[in-house]
Amino acid sequence: MIVMIDDPADTRVADYVSLNDPAMRREFEGDVFFIAEGPTAVGRLIASDHRIRSLFVSAQRLERTRPLIESLADDTDVFVADRAVQNRTVGFDLHRGLVASAERRPLSTIQTLIATCDRIAVVEALNDPENLGAIARSARALDIGGLILDPTCIDPYYRRTVRVSMGEILFLSVARATDWPGDLNQLIRAGFEIWALTPDQAADNIWMLSPPDRLAVMFGAEGPGLTNHAFGAATRRVRLPIAPDVDSLNVAAAAAVTFGIIGRGRH
């Protein structure tokens, strides 16, 4: 149902207020709902099994958005506002002109990932939403079935994470460890090897290794990389061979390359 909005303070679009205020949004959204931004991410949201609360589209983008609107359930509200009103609501120039609100699903569990995946990505202390989104997008594209976050990693439903993943994180099984890195022992008991990525030249060249049937690959945050505790939970340290005068790759780029290497010959 299309509803016209002419006041940025209209409570019907409260889900979209101050999208550029991360602290407020974390408290406001809680574990209840999340925001997808842009036509691609919203399209993937609609294709997923998340329950959509509403769409908020600028009047200038309404006709371009019709195909997405027509794929919604009949009782889903589509709020439409002039671009200026929409921008005042969200708190910045939303040049894509389209956002959606959807209910969060509980995250998966490590045991569920073990039962359903033979390739898992593990990330520690990753707090850049763009890096996490890019890793999730590459994981979906390159046959990684699940993603495990350590307790300090950023919210996988954060708006920028969903947008940068092009909505693909909504199709990825994501679990959050509570005992770090002790929870990784569950993977080892289930027959997984855990390869920790590092630029250390003493680590094994990943190209020279034969990936096992069940494998988890682990990445640390930009700069510090993995902690000693995380390395201690791994079964092997591996490196991507790069030019000797380059320090390292961006973590999202390193993850994409790694996913491609360990997936070679699987299809």
Side-chain angles (χ1 to χ4, degrees), residues 2 17 37 41 75 84 88 102 106 112-113 134-135 144 153 176 184 189 192 227 230 237 239 242 244 255-256:
I2 293 180
V17 169
E37 175 191 343
D75 61 347
R88 287 170 61 195
T112 297
L113 267 61
I135 289 172
I144 302 298
C153 276
R176 188 179 291 279
L184 298 182
R189 289 195 296 269
F192 279 82
T227 63
R237 297 188 185 200
R239 62 180 173 86
I242 61 175

Side-chain angles (χ1 to χ4, degrees), residues 127-147:
N127 282 302
D128 184 305
E130 296 189 1
N131 278 331
L132 183 57
I135 289 172
R137 183 181 179 187
S138 296
R140 277 280 295 161
L142 296 168
D143 200 30
I144 302 298
L147 177 64

Side-chain angles (χ1 to χ4, degrees), residues 11 19 23 43 60 62 83 105 148 160 170 191 212 238 242 250:
T11 57
L19 294 182
Q60 292 83 350
L62 180 59
R83 182 174 176 178
R105 294 182 313 200
I148 296 175
R160 286 174 59 199
L170 305 178
V238 302
I242 61 175
N250 164 269

